[in-house]
Amino acid sequence: MVKKKKPGVSGEKKGVPTASQKKSANTFSEFLSGPKSKWAFFAIYLIVTIFLFRDFLFSDDMLLGLDTIPDGIYTRQYYKEYHAEYGGIPHWNPHILGGLPFIDAMHGDTFYPGAWLKFFMPLTRALGHKLVWHVFLAGITMYLYLRTLRIRRDASFLGGLMYMLAPSFVTLVHPAHDAKMYIIALLPLAFALLERGINNPRFVTFAGLGGVMGLLILTSHAQMAYYSYWAIGLYFIFRLFVLDRGTTKKLEINGITKRTVMFVAAVIIAVTMGAVQILPAYKFTTKQSVRSGEERTGYKYATSWSMHPEETMGMVVPSFPGFIDYKNHDLYWGKNFFKLNTEYHGILPLVLGIMALLMLRNRLKWYFLGIAVLSLVYALGANTPFYRLFYAFVPSVKNFRAPSMIIFLFCFAFVTLASMFISSILDDDSTLKEKNRTLLYTIAVIAGLAVIISLMGQTFFDMWRAIFYKTDPYPELQRAKIMAANIPYFRSDMWRIAVLVCAALGGIWMFMSKRIGTYALTGLLALVIFVDEALIDSRFITTINPASNPAIAPDQTVAELQKRMDESGPFRILGIASGKSANYYAMFGLHTADGFHNNELQSYELFRGGRGNENFLLYWVEGGSLNPDNVTKNNFLNIAGVKYLIIAMTDGPTVPLENNAAFDRAFIVHNHVVVSSDSAAVELLKDSSFDPSETVIITGEPGIRFPESSGLSGESKVESLTYTKDGAVIKAIFHKPGFLVLADNMVPYWHADVDGKPAAIYPAYGTFM
């Protein structure tokens, strides 16, 4: 008798894969181990990016960036409008601080290709898109670099995921530090090209390296580009003279010479490419900008915004120092003035990176350890004595501030180390099996520390404060209150991190014990990375509606002021406690006497009386009270053409107060007095009895000799002033010899023609011309 087969069964044993199942599994395994697998990994990066920024990508809102509102919108909007009308790049920004050279003073990512999105979509959308897609790009570039190190594809995928989601990178979205994000995303690509060029020295590879290094300059963040060059240069030296392909084999002299010549060529390409941005900026910041003064080059300024011990602890538990997120949770209790992002890089890069240093036999790890230590020591600034050496001996360091910016190199180094460790584990490295028990010990230590610190609670913070805050810059009660409010966030983060680390190390232990396979471990580590890092990232990502947000949308005074400017010609305004950002009105094409740029001219800062606008407030603002009747006595307001003072009333709307004594933007003066310095000019203007409408103050001896008589009668006057693509055209009638004054800052690039003939330009009133 023939037995009937059960439906769906083909005679195979239960639980035994069929030939087709085996073929399917083998095909999948071959795909993941083959070169095409990168497209699957890149697709995952794309999905993760979309998920992280879903609220922005699937809306018409704007990605909130705190620096975008006061500084980013108006400069990009001006650039976009100028480009639409004239083509090219503006040379002069007339909107704030008496006028600034656009390229020289650095108005953001002017030349960086990623910023050109603003020409093809609404500005408020473009500002967010360029950040979002650099997060995606960071995952790809890190994957490519790790592959050049011959790290396994699955381990390289995890490394790219760690890097692109690193909170120290993604949380820069919140302050809108776009140029920093560009550099972090491009850095692995530069390393990939350098590694490939050392392995196979071809000019096209080094030319590509030069192109990427040039882009680092064009991001407009010279400081972080400079730090990147440190890392790239040290890597080249290490790979050239210490090892080749991760072995002890050294290159022969001919190989060293060839690679050195090509590397120098790459640097030349980079500097040539970036010269359009860096050379004008260097000349401006070292000769004319406030950054060239003693106040901006001293040790105290250079070490401002250093990392402090609490931020270093925040690299382990992100909420330890507290933070200010998009929900306005102000829980930061550290030594800096505030903190808008986090220095947390993810817990797996840190833990697995340390294990790589302890367990791997790979000499390349010493380079990454060196870069990590260098970046951490430098980032701590004045908190260690070592920064004095950088300040004294390393070129340009004294022109920078915020040494904490270099910490992105720490993240890059430890993600690479962690990827190397994962690759060795997945390769079933026999040398690591001997240390399998170390994983269990590590799990026990981490769990034990989490229990102890959690039980200590407030006592742990008190101990920290007693050690690191012997001289407390903040009131004791204020710090204690903020610390107490931060404890629940700290405990939550600490337990989450402890659980995730134990899960990851437990999975590695199970893999090494043959309890789970490669795909299971890769999936587990990817899940841990995503949960750990994306959760912190999400605290700093939100959107706003630009049409209704009061920081961006025009208030009731904007339309009226725009109408008056169209009718009467250009004038300036000054906001007094307006409740708006310093550059708010500049977003709408209005010209403001104040503003924020942090790279204004020294002469104008002196003219306005520093960032507090002390000279603009003379006579009519005293002791916090206003006396509008005395506005006309203020020579600084009148010369700068400040026709309206924007004052926010406590019980009503914003009110523009008109200054009837304000001069036109261009005016004529027949008498002059010579002073020896801009400071002397400013001191003379503080005297309300001095009349600048009758006498212009000129710095230095111009050697001017007027004719005794012009043969004309009548009143000299300026008939029109028109700003053009390249400057300004002024139509004026002189009935006797005198000076034509233009109340825009004088910089060396201005030149003048009178009736088609070159004319001299002199510094007027300490800053104008």
Side-chain angles (χ1 to χ4, degrees), residues 201-388:
R202 298 173 61 206
F203 180 77
V204 65
T205 305
F206 279 96
L209 170 63
V212 174
M213 292 173 68
L215 284 177
L216 293 177
I217 299 176
L218 295 182
T219 63
S220 80
H221 207 299
Q223 184 171 346
M224 284 185 60
Y226 188 46
Y227 298 152
S228 299
Y229 277 37
W230 288 2
I232 293 168
L234 291 173
Y235 188 78
F236 174 73
I237 294 170
F238 186 89
R239 287 287 283 107
L240 204 62
F241 294 102
V242 177
L243 75 163
D244 180 32
R245 292 187 183 275
T247 70
T248 58
K249 177 184 176 183
K250 294 184 180 180
L251 292 170
E252 297 179 354
I253 188 65
N254 290 339
I256 292 175
T257 302
K258 182 178 181 180
R259 288 163 174 81
T260 301
V261 169
M262 289 188 177
F263 182 74
V264 171
V267 173
I268 293 173
I269 291 172
V271 173
T272 302
M273 181 176 169
V276 66
Q277 175 70 83
I278 201 66
L279 289 182
Y282 177 79
K283 185 176 180 180
F284 180 77
T285 55
T286 55
K287 301 294 184 182
Q288 301 164 262
S289 164
V290 291
R291 295 190 179 190
S292 64
E294 292 183 6
E295 182 183 347
R296 304 300 210 286
T297 56
Y299 186 76
K300 183 177 180 180
Y301 182 81
T303 55
S304 60
W305 300 101
S306 298
M307 272 183 63
H308 294 283
E310 60 275 3
E311 278 123 1
T312 306
M313 180 64 179
M315 292 167 65
V316 181
V317 182
S319 59
F320 178 75
F323 53 88
I324 303 176
D325 65 4
Y326 71 85
K327 295 180 180 178
N328 207 28
H329 288 134
D330 189 355
L331 299 174
Y332 177 71
W333 52 269
K335 292 188 180 75
N336 284 317
F337 296 108
F338 55 85
K339 189 70 176 172
L340 300 177
N341 68 310
T342 177
E343 311 298 357
Y344 182 67
H345 311 297
I347 197 61
L348 280 197
L350 190 62
V351 172
L352 300 185
I354 292 173
M355 289 189 166
L357 293 171
L358 296 175
M359 298 183 182
L360 292 186
R361 296 177 180 176
N362 187 328
R363 294 179 66 186
L364 189 58
K365 71 180 183 182
W366 299 117
Y367 165 80
F368 292 108
L369 174 62
I371 286 295
V373 171
L374 171 68
S375 61
L376 181 58
V377 170
Y378 185 95
L380 288 168
N383 293 294
T384 76
F386 300 107
Y387 194 83
R388 284 281 183 187

Side-chain angles (χ1 to χ4, degrees), residues 422-491:
I422 294 171
S423 186
S424 295
I425 291 292
L426 294 175
D427 276 337
D428 207 15
D429 190 336
S430 59
T431 61
L432 295 179
K433 290 183 178 180
E434 303 171 1
K435 304 175 182 178
N436 196 357
R437 190 166 295 182
T438 303
L439 295 169
L440 299 178
Y441 294 151
T442 305
I443 292 173
V445 169
I446 290 173
L449 286 174
V451 170
I452 293 171
I453 294 174
S454 181
L455 292 174
M456 291 177 67
Q458 181 68 50
T459 304
F460 180 76
F461 282 84
D462 292 339
M463 290 174 58
W464 185 278
R465 186 174 53 184
I467 295 171
F468 294 105
Y469 287 83
K470 295 179 180 178
T471 303
D472 199 336
Y474 299 110
E476 185 69 17
L477 291 177
Q478 179 183 351
R479 183 178 301 284
K481 182 179 179 180
I482 296 174
M483 281 183 169
N486 190 49
I487 289 177
Y489 294 93
F490 171 69
R491 278 180 170 158

